[in-house]
Amino acid sequence: MSAPHYDIIIIGTGMGGATLAYALRDSGARILLLERGDFLPQEAQNWQVDAVFGQNRYKPAERWIDAADGSSFTPGVHYFVGGNTKVYGAALPRFRRQDFEALEHEGGTAPAWPITYEDLEPYYNLAEELFFVHGTAGSDPGEPPRSRPYPYPEVPHEPYMAELIDKLRAQGLHPYSLPMAVDLRAGGRCIRCGTCDGFPCQAHAKGDADICCLRPALECDDIQLWTHTEARRVLSDSSGKRATTVEVKRRGERLGVSADKIIVACGAVNSAILLLRSRCGRYPDGLGNSSGLLGRNYMMHNNTALTAVAPLKTNPTVFQKTTAVNDYYFGDDDFAWPMGNIQALGKLQAGMLSAAKPYLPKAFLSAMAKRSVDWWVMSEDLPDPENRVMVGDDGAVRVHWRPNNRVAHQQLIRRAKDMMRAAGYPFVFTETLGIETNSHQCGTARFGDDPAESVLDPLCKSHDIDNLYVVDSSFFPSSTAMNPALTICAQALRVADHLQGKPPLQSELSA
Ligand SMILES: Cc1cc2nc3c(=O)[nH]c(=O)nc-3n(C[C@H](O)[C@H](O)[C@H](O)COP(=O)(O)OP(=O)(O)OC[C@H]3O[C@@H](n4cnc5c(N)ncnc54)[C@H](O)[C@@H]3O)c2cc1C
């Protein structure tokens, strides 16, 4: 089979891959995007709780193996053009300046990044423009400095949430407006429905990587997309310094495509799996894995869902995901270590609860969902080389993730419970989620200056292979306790400048 040749192949069209394609659209490079999924259909089921949560309509049938006990689970991945952003909650905060520095936690140290907040700051500006982020600068305590305001004003709180926010302020807290990528611009299509967080947007009004990046990129004649095309291996030349070919399975057919530069952007687990599967004589432990760190230091946050119920008060909010609390991000007077972020979730619906708790009566769950306010309690998990993804002998994805930094997470849960009880919610239920809740997966090909301590250089290029890049959440050396997607996007924009030989943008903050 003859191998068509391109200037650049990008594997995966999620936040990293689609952003990169968009940023390279005027570069003159002939680019091929490979995506194992298809465009997510615009259909009634997009907004049906039972279809999305009960039947897992948009999740793949594949099962991953929990390497700790050999059990299998359905992972939180979505194989579509746009990747996980098709269903994401669209909260797009920047990381804190301190997140880029070594940060001491109760459970250990989050390592420093090889770049500073200032290196990424001008790209955060561009990323926020690209994803039409709505927010208010200065409302989030501890937020990093910005050289530009948010491109669009914050998403307004519905009256019930505004009242709750006042109650939290009365406790001395600083609930802030969550930066959101929903299209409330003049003429924007967002109707602020209750099916945003966790659902595909039937109105195409969510700022996802498909809508904001991939479709505009495809308007350029130089950019081609192959859907239903799974990359199986990346081959290198005999020197081991150049990647040459991507072996793909396209609609059942196996073929090879070659390029001058190969960019892997399959998401942190699948990128590592692809490169581990690409082992060869020169790289017996996985392509570009002379550090031995490929697949290791897998992180996905400590995540707890919290539901606070006021039995005598219904919550009529439709679009609940407008606020968050960062007062405990770096600790408080009683616990000197970072704890994390408490973020409003999309409004919980009875069908979501019954999908998770089928043994509980539906009437009870429905009554509860009508009276609840729902939060995501998120703490940093720390890189541990033993937490890793591997390819099983049968080719299955194996994940070993033993949670760490749990004391800090418990402290944050306690504060979140106290916060809601003090606001008038006597019943607070929490559920700490496990290995299957890997929406914020990252870290499997960390970037750094030292080839012995990292897989990628600070521009996401393989230390080993001169024309191989990984531009998705794999590069994170730490998970921080904020939502990851804006940072993936900002770094992809930075890498795009590098690929075009442009000097990096300088932050106006450092001027
Ligand atoms: C329910 C949910 C809610 C979330 N909410 C938020 C939020 O509010 N804010 C936030 O910042 N983040 C959120 N996230 C996380 C966010 O979506 C991810 O961090 C982000 O999409 C990761 O980008 P990525 O490029 O690393 O991978 P992805 O976006 O997952 O993209 C990977 C792409 O690669 C493709 N692919 C995989 N393997 C192959 C292969 N072998 N060959 C070809 N193609 C392949 C996949 O189909 C996919 O298109 C959420 C995620 C989920 C699931």
Side-chain angles (χ1 to χ4, degrees), residues 11 110 180-181 183 275 324 380 441 466:
I11 311 169
M180 291 294 295
D183 195 357
L275 295 176
E380 186 154 356
Q441 58 182 268
D466 293 334

Side-chain angles (χ1 to χ4, degrees), residues 156-179:
H157 307 297
E158 291 183 37
Y160 181 99
M161 289 304 284
E163 199 183 305
L164 171 61
I165 286 167
D166 285 344
K167 288 181 187 157
L168 302 185
R169 289 209 176 105
Q171 295 177 31
L173 297 169
H174 302 84
Y176 61 94
S177 48
L178 194 58

Side-chain angles (χ1 to χ4, degrees), residues 14-16 35-36 79-80 83-84 88-91 231 266 439 472-473 483 485:
M15 186 49 108
E35 169 54 53
R36 70 193 293 170
Y79 296 149
F80 290 100
N84 265 354
Y88 78 162
C266 303
S439 7
D472 56 22
S473 60
N483 316 62

Side-chain angles (χ1 to χ4, degrees), residues 257-379:
V257 267
S258 65
D260 294 342
K261 292 192 175 74
I262 294 176
I263 321 281
V264 179
C266 303
V269 172
N270 278 308
S271 284
I273 291 292
L274 173 63
L275 295 176
L276 289 168
R277 224 197 273 131
S278 303
R279 61 181 177 265
C280 56
R282 173 72 181 74
Y283 296 106
D285 299 322
L287 192 66
N289 190 22
S290 56
S291 66
L293 291 171
L294 182 65
R296 293 186 182 267
N297 296 301
Y298 173 65
M299 295 166 281
M300 44 170 254
H301 284 152
N302 287 304
N303 300 302
T304 292
L306 180 149
T307 301
V309 180
L312 302 179
K313 198 173 174 198
T314 52
N315 177 0
T317 308
V318 180
F319 195 93
Q320 184 176 258
K321 199 176 176 72
T322 57
T323 191
V325 172
N326 260 340
D327 293 78
Y328 308 113
Y329 197 85
F330 293 115
D332 65 9
D333 290 346
D334 296 325
F335 187 76
W337 314 98
M339 285 180 266
N341 173 267
I342 305 167
Q343 189 169 112
L345 276 171
K347 183 71 202 81
L348 190 68
Q349 300 187 37
M352 300 174 186
L353 282 171
S354 42
K357 312 268 176 219
Y359 46 87
L360 289 176
K362 282 195 172 130
F364 168 74
L365 296 176
S366 169
M368 184 169 151
K370 280 190 184 126
R371 291 164 180 79
S372 71
V373 178
D374 321 291
W375 299 89
W376 196 246
V377 182
M378 177 164 67
S379 308

